[in-house]
Every structure is written in C-alpha cells, then in structure tokens.
Amino acid sequence: MDSEKLTRKYYSDYSKVLSIPSLKVLISINAIETALIFLRGLEIGLLFFYSFIIYFAYVLLIFWKRTKTSLVMTLVFSIIYLIFSFLPISYIFAFGAFIPLINYPLLLDHGEKASFILSLFSGLIPSIVLFRITFLGVIYVLIIGLVSLIYVYEINRKGNKIIGIPSLNVIRPFLRAVSYKKDEDLENFLEKISVPTIINIATFKIGDMYFVLPQIHFGMYGNIGSSKFPYQVEEYLKNAIVFHTPGSHELDLPSSRESRRVVEEVLKTKLDKIYFTGIESQNIGDFNITSIRFDKASISFVQRPNKGIDDLPGGLWRDIALTKNFLVDCHNETLTDEIGKREYTQLRDFVRTTKIKPKSDLQLGYSETIVNCEGLCKNLARVVTLIDKSSRQKLSLIYIYANNACHGLKDKIYEKLSDLVDYPILVTPDDHSCTASNFGNLYQPATVCDDLIEKARSLVIESIKNAKDVSDVEFGMIKVKTRVLGKIISSMVEGLEKVGSFTLKTFWIPIIIPYVILFILLLADSIIKF
C-alpha cells in the first residue's frame, strides 16, 4: 500500500477545507449577511435578528481559538437562516438543522461527548435565551444531535476494528498539528503508540568525511519524529552526509527529542580501520547498484531506472546487519512501479554476497554550493567524488535535500556529467523536513531545474580538483535502543484508507437528515403547531 500517495490524497482534501479566505474577506461577507438578516428582521420581526446575534455570539464563544472557523460557520449558516425565513416553518429550526456542520469542526478540539453537547446547545441557546423554546423544538434538536453522535461513533468503531484505536483518537493529533502547529501533541501520541526496538547505525569515516547510514526513516514530517535526523547529525558532525537506507515509516522515530538522543549515541561509535578495495557497478534485474567496497564492509547505492524507488523493504536490514553490505536508497526518481517479491529477493541475495578484493588507493574530493530549485528542503547541493587510483574510476555523489526527484532530473544531470566521471549518482535522503509545510502541497520532489543541472557539473569539476589521497578509512556500527512507530503505521494507513473512504462517501448523511426530518414536519404542519 502506497502510504505516501494515500496520505497525500487525504491531506490534499483536508487542505482544501482549510484553504479559506482571509480574515478581512470573511468579516466583510459576514457583515453583509448580518445586514441582510437585520433587514429581513424588520419585515418579519426583530426577534429573527436577535436570535441570529445570540447564535453568532455562541459560535464565536465555542470556537474562540479559531476565529476563521467561527466566521466560516456563521457565513454558511446565515444563508440557511435567510432561506428558512421564507419557509412555512419557524426559522428557529434552522439552528437545529445546522448542528452536524457545527459538530464536525468541534471534534478537532474536543472529545466526542463534549462536541455533542456544544453542538446540541447551538440549536437550543437562541430559543432558550428568547423564551421561544418548544417541546417539539427540543425533540428535533435531540434527534439531530443523536444522529450526529451515532455517525461519529460509527467512524470511531471502524478505527477500533482495524487498529484497535478509535479513528478520531488517531486523526485528531495529526489535524491539530497541521492546524495549530502543535507538534508536541502529535509526538506525545506517537510516543504512546511506538514500540521499543534496537536499530543499527553504521558510520564510515573516509578522509575528513563521515557517511552515516542509520536504520531509521526520516519521518513523519516537518519537525516531527525523525524528519530532522540528517540535519541533527550535521549539527554535531559538520562533514557528515546521512543516507537513506531500507525501511519506510515503520522506522520513524516518534519524536524529535528521541531523534536527537539517538544522534548523540551515534557520536559514541567506536571506529576501526578498514581499507578501500574498489568501485564497481552492476545491473541486477531492474536495479542498478554501484558499490564502494572495503575489506570489511561496503556501501551500495541502489537505483531503479525508469521505475523509481519509494523506500526499499526494511526487512533487508536482517542481512545487512550481518554482512555489513549497506544499501543506500538513492530515492532519486519518482516511483512508477512498486517493488515486488522478486525484486526483494534479488536485493537480499545481493546483500548476502560478499567480495574480497585487494587493497586499492583512494582519493576523495568535496564541494558544495547554494542552489535555487523547487522541491528542495534546503537550498544546498553537495558533491563527494571518490577516485580509485588503481583503476582511475570516478564516482560522484550529488546529494540534495529533497524527498525524491521528478523524472528527468537524474538523467539530465548524468548526461551533463558523462564526460567527467564514470558513475554519477544523484542522492536524496527522502527528506520529510519540508513535507506538509503548506496546505495543498504535501510533497514536492526536486523538480527538473537548470540551476541544479548546471551547478552539478561545476561542483563535480571542483570536487575532482579538490581530491586528496585518503590515508585512513574507518568504520563502526552501533546498536541503539530506541522506539519506532513499527507495524502499527501500516494499520493506520489501512485505517486511513477505509475510514477516509467511508467518511468521504457518507459525511453528507448527517447534514441531509435534518432537512428530511423538517420535510416530514412540514407534511404534518396541518396537525402540529410550531
């Protein structure tokens, strides 16, 4: 199941809901509608206007932290309220009919029972204050409120059935983080559902450069979880590059504080000397794998031309930890075809194959520069070039801070570098630090960008000029006790798909039912006096 694609879909839908007009526009529209209600009140009685003012004040009160939400609610209600004033039924019923629409946004800040009570009183307060409450009015409000409550409990029941947690208990922390930037609320929730585990983290010191390969996925998003892990490593190790290894969101750390703690453990890694044995590249099925080999370990950069990779299977770590043949998911081309069992077996067999080769001499050069391209979380491109002095083969890693890359970028860069190096490799860390940074754009891969393409060439040239002999190569791997989201993330994705699909298909039912009931009341108008 493509969790990124699914999450993107529902985030996009939610962002459309939140992409409401500016406060100035909302105030202006509400002012016009209030004036229309006042004018209508002059015709049918000012109680019509007073009832609306009381209702408006109540909505502002229950949404006091969310002024825009209250204005949107009253904007929509005003239209319905005016329509009711022309119907052969008391306009007081408009307050009850609007209960489901009031209830939905309340669920973001309150539990189901509190939302039920607050929305219920939105249908009663104007009538109570103006002493216009009737038995039939109370019954009507209670029926509508009960329908809304049953619907919400049905949504929660589906979540309980799939993941053992009520749907809104899962969704609410995410929506609060997006709406209010309350990252701590979401991280507290993630820590509660996370599971203890032991992860592997490898560190290669090649000359002055550190290559860090953690058994960690860099998510959830923004500052939440381990999204900032590569940046946190760089705070402590200025010459470090952190690579994305196999594993998806099940390997997300639950909080940024836990991520930083793990980084501090990485600094304690004991490094032992190893020696460089060469660079090689091979095609295995749909994969192109380029390896930097050492006597006791290797780093293999995995690409999947024309098909892309959206996270290599985390199960590969079982063999990686034993053989020290580390895989880097280059994440440099948007996924078009999921990795299947056959591809997994091919990668597993590759990891299990170790090669002993004679020692070779190595040179390493580094360069970096600012780039301005859409889709980058940090406007920086870094290039590391490794040169095998024995074979004269050159490998250049073009590292950019992005969550994957659009089709065409990798190929254009490689074409630009074809006369300079044998193995150009574009690498992204599947950077989620700028994911969900603004509504409507959950995720933007690095785009095909002339600035990056041109600068990639100049950076490679500069890195070759800067290349120096590497006298020492060191390697170490540590095991760290931590907590990760684990398999529950898959259940959450499945729950999001099923609950989200159910909600999108049925959310209108509680909204329509009040009017169905009113239609029945209109039919009975001859015998029921409002």
Side-chain angles (χ1 to χ4, degrees), residues 379-436:
N379 293 328
L380 182 69
R382 309 173 71 186
V383 168
V384 179
T385 295
L386 297 99
I387 303 172
D388 183 344
K389 292 182 69 177
S390 299
S391 65
R392 304 308 301 168
Q393 288 183 314
K394 300 183 184 70
L395 180 155
S396 287
L397 302 173
I398 302 94
Y399 185 94
I400 56 174
Y401 297 83
N403 185 334
N404 220 314
C406 293
H407 285 287
L409 178 61
K410 169 177 68 69
D411 294 335
K412 287 182 179 295
I413 289 176
Y414 291 3
E415 181 182 351
K416 199 77 173 177
L417 303 178
S418 60
D419 62 324
L420 296 176
V421 295
D422 303 282
Y423 308 113
I425 301 176
L426 178 66
V427 183
T428 80
D430 187 18
D431 195 335
H432 283 63
S433 67
C434 60
T435 294

Side-chain angles (χ1 to χ4, degrees), residues 225-367:
S226 45
S227 296
K228 290 283 190 179
F229 185 87
Y231 298 89
Q232 292 169 337
V233 170
E234 291 174 21
E235 288 179 27
Y236 294 97
L237 296 173
K238 301 300 181 184
N239 295 330
I241 295 182
V242 181
F243 295 103
H244 184 332
T245 61
S248 189
H249 286 283
E250 76 277 359
L251 291 177
D252 286 347
L253 304 184
S255 68
S256 56
R257 54 183 170 269
E258 179 62 13
S259 177
R260 187 170 290 278
R261 187 193 70 79
V262 172
V263 170
E264 292 171 354
E265 291 295 317
V266 173
L267 303 178
K268 302 174 185 177
T269 305
K270 179 183 177 183
L271 301 177
D272 298 315
K273 286 189 177 182
I274 58 176
Y275 61 79
F276 172 70
T277 63
I279 300 169
E280 65 177 29
S281 183
Q282 56 189 304
N283 293 317
I284 300 176
D286 294 331
F287 298 103
N288 173 260
I289 304 177
T290 305
S291 304
I292 307 171
R293 294 202 173 274
F294 306 91
D295 63 323
K296 297 178 182 178
S298 65
I299 307 173
S300 296
F301 296 87
V302 183
Q303 303 178 84
R304 195 166 174 243
N306 302 316
K307 291 189 175 182
I309 300 173
D310 194 357
D311 299 332
L312 292 172
L316 291 167
W317 266 99
R318 285 189 290 270
D319 292 294
I320 290 173
L322 294 173
T323 64
K324 309 299 187 293
N325 184 7
F326 296 94
L327 299 184
V328 172
D329 178 355
C330 292
H331 234 86
N332 60 16
E333 192 170 2
T334 307
L335 180 73
T336 60
D337 190 14
E338 294 283 353
I339 293 175
K341 185 176 181 180
R342 179 177 63 86
E343 289 88 351
Y344 173 80
T345 302
Q346 290 170 340
L347 290 173
R348 185 197 62 193
D349 291 344
F350 170 80
V351 169
R352 289 177 175 179
T353 303
T354 57
K355 295 184 179 181
I356 305 298
K357 299 177 66 177
K359 182 178 180 181
S360 184
D361 293 322
L362 174 66
Q363 288 184 322
L364 181 144
Y366 176 80
S367 61

Side-chain angles (χ1 to χ4, degrees), residues 8 13 86 121 195 212 237 242 254 267 325 328 341 375 417 448 454-455 477 513 521:
R8 224 172 289 146
D13 291 338
F86 292 98
F121 272 98
V195 294
V212 180
L237 296 173
V242 181
L267 303 178
N325 184 7
V328 172
K341 185 176 181 180
L417 303 178
V448 179
E454 293 298 325
K455 286 181 177 176
M477 189 175 80
I513 282 180
L521 290 176

Side-chain angles (χ1 to χ4, degrees), residues 54-117:
I54 293 169
Y55 183 80
F56 196 171
Y58 181 78
V59 172
L60 285 172
L61 179 64
I62 60 177
F63 292 113
W64 67 276
K65 290 182 180 180
R66 299 155 63 192
T67 305
K68 278 192 174 184
T69 300
S70 63
L71 292 175
V72 169
M73 289 293 103
T74 52
L75 184 154
V76 177
F77 174 77
S78 297
I79 298 171
I80 296 173
Y81 193 56
L82 283 167
I83 293 173
F84 264 73
S85 72
F86 292 98
L87 297 177
I89 190 170
S90 174
Y91 55 77
I92 290 294
F93 284 95
F95 300 116
F98 206 66
I99 284 175
L101 282 171
I102 286 289
N103 188 50
Y104 286 152
L106 282 170
L107 290 167
L108 177 61
D109 294 316
H110 307 283
E112 293 76 9
K113 292 180 181 177
S115 297
F116 165 71
I117 293 171

